[in-house]
């Protein structure tokens, strides 16, 4: 049985704070966790690059979640 969806499943890549529960960063991504940097605003792109650099220092390793 094949299920067809009217819209594609959306995902987000979530970086959670190591020290402040409820804080962190989320970015739209595909099911594999790939973020389209060209689709992000300049500020979102800067935040994404910051989050990647702070993994293990201030942020957990990101997880892919349904949006």
């Amino acid at each position: 049985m094949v299920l067809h969806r009217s819209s594609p499943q959306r995902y987000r890549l979530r970086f959670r704070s190591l020290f402040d529960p409820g804080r962190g960063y989320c970015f739209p991504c595909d099911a594999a966790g790939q973020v389209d940097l060209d689709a992000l605003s300049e500020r979102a792109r800067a935040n994404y690059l910051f989050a990647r650099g702070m993994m293990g220092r201030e942020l957990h390793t990101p997880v892919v979640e349904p949006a």
Side-chain angles (χ1 to χ4, degrees):
M1 177 176 174
V2 176
L3 297 177
H4 295 281
R5 295 188 177 157
S6 59
S7 62
Q9 178 70 40
R10 308 260 180 203
Y11 297 92
R12 65 183 174 197
L13 189 65
R14 177 177 288 234
F15 293 83
R16 294 186 181 182
S17 172
L18 289 170
F19 308 108
D20 193 358
R23 304 276 315 215
Y25 297 88
C26 287
F27 304 94
C29 69
D30 64 15
Q34 298 296 314
V35 174
D36 182 1
L37 294 177
D38 294 332
L40 297 177
S41 69
E42 187 174 330
R43 182 175 180 163
R45 189 170 30 256
N47 285 338
Y48 174 75
L49 295 173
F50 173 80
R52 292 274 314 256
M54 291 293 106
M55 284 190 311
R57 294 181 185 145
E58 294 195 21
L59 300 167
H60 286 281
T61 301
V63 295
V64 177
E65 304 175 334

